[in-house]
Amino acid sequence: MSGPLVLAIESSCDETGVALVEDGCTIRSNVVASQVALHAPMGGIVPEVAARAHLRWVVPVLEAAIADAGADWGDIDAVGVTRGPGLAGSLLVGINFAKTLAFVHDKPLVGVNHLEGHVYAAWLRDTPDQALPEPLFPLVALVVSGGHTFLVEMRDHLTYRLLGQTVDDAAGEAFDKVGRLLGLPYPGGPAIQAAAARATGADVIFPRAWLGETYDFSFSGLKTAARRVIATARADEGLPADDPEARLSPERQATLARGFQESVVDVLATKTMRAARAVGARSIVLGGGVAANAALRARLTADAERRRIPLLIPRPGLCTDNGAMIGAAAARRFEAGERAGLDLDARPSLPLARA
Ligand code: KG4
Ligand code: ZN
């Protein structure tokens, strides 16, 4: 082994993830316990329920991750953990657990920004010899998740310059809210993707918020437009306005889902490509839960190919929250000499970068 073996813990939101990552890139194991089924009946994440689920699952997930990797504590060089941003109660479970492990096994502790983890997922590979190109600097990274949407420029490891960010909702949040308006199951992102794939009818054009030449994003106007269009469609199908159980026909759901998805994808891809040209990017990185979206992946793949800029999008399971992405970032910070004290605290609003 040439680089460190890092055990990493992710618990910022609704997935309990523990992974072992070697050399900052090779996944030795990556176990995720998802709480989606737990939160689905509520149509969204209930913070206290999420924190208690982390408490319930963090030990079995750790045991599975260590067993999957065939490793023992003697092989592990450091413990990495998400310190923010995220839900305070959820973060505290992972941080407290990581501290205890570092203390008991006498290992260095490294705190990681969750958003940095989404970026570093681009360096991950499933086997040491998997032929994946490494992202080249300067690069532009688009991170699109349930809580964040932003573009950063990286000229080197662990340094970020904010190019633009959402001024209101995150892209994933817009997917989740519009999914609910369409009567689709939670979380809205995968459900909208599946519905849109079924669309056969004529397109419904949703608005795009360009915000001039900036790299900022806005999705609240799109959400309002979606609410209006969906209300009209419901009236058209004779559905009562106040009964969420009365669903639109699957055809109408599909057409509207595709129109909404197209609008989000168009804005995200257009601004990412414009930013890549402006900074002379030698690669583009995409991360966060919405990066799992097939339409966004296809559009950016085509755009980047046309511009001959290498594009790195982790496989969908590494776009949504997981421990391996935290391990990839923790390894870089560990090798840069960073150590967290046992007084490490949760930072629910931790930013990644400044303009
Ligand atoms: O990164 P993530 O797992 O958690 C956060 O850090 O927020 O992102 C979750 C978000 C949710 O809003 C979910 O609806 C969205 O990612 N998402 C998708 C897809 N898969 C997950 N959005 C669009 N298409 C998908 N296939
Ligand atoms: Zn995330």
Side-chain angles (χ1 to χ4, degrees), residues 7-11 15-19 31-33 35 50-66 81 90-98 100-101:
L7 179 135
I9 298 166
E10 154 62 33
S11 74
E15 326 275 355
T16 314
V18 180
V31 180
V32 178
Q35 304 175 10
R52 287 176 189 274
H54 287 303
L55 205 51
R56 164 70 184 82
W57 288 105
V58 74
V59 172
V61 170
L62 169 84
E63 286 176 335
I66 290 184
V81 65
S90 290
L91 289 165
L92 288 172
V93 175
I95 292 171
N96 199 26
F97 189 53
T100 307
L101 291 171

Side-chain angles (χ1 to χ4, degrees), residues 131-209:
L132 276 182
E134 185 160 325
L136 298 174
F137 299 114
L139 65 79
V140 161
L142 171 69
V143 174
V144 269
S145 72
H148 297 85
T149 295
F150 60 84
L151 272 166
V152 284
E153 175 193 357
M154 286 177 79
R155 297 209 152 259
D156 201 352
H157 280 296
L158 309 175
T159 59
Y160 311 91
R161 184 170 74 90
L162 185 67
L163 299 172
Q165 61 187 329
T166 182
V167 297
D168 40 56
D169 293 350
E173 199 177 345
F175 269 99
D176 294 338
K177 286 179 178 167
V178 171
R180 200 173 312 143
L181 290 173
L182 282 171
L184 293 169
Y186 172 85
I192 286 183
Q193 174 180 321
R198 291 196 317 263
T200 51
D203 280 352
V204 179
I205 307 294
F206 282 79
R208 278 108 167 109

Side-chain angles (χ1 to χ4, degrees), residues 10 12-13 114-115 118 145-146 288-289 319-321 325:
E10 154 62 33
S12 66
C13 193
H114 177 82
L115 303 170
H118 277 307
S145 72
C319 291
T320 48
D321 292 349
M325 68 185 206

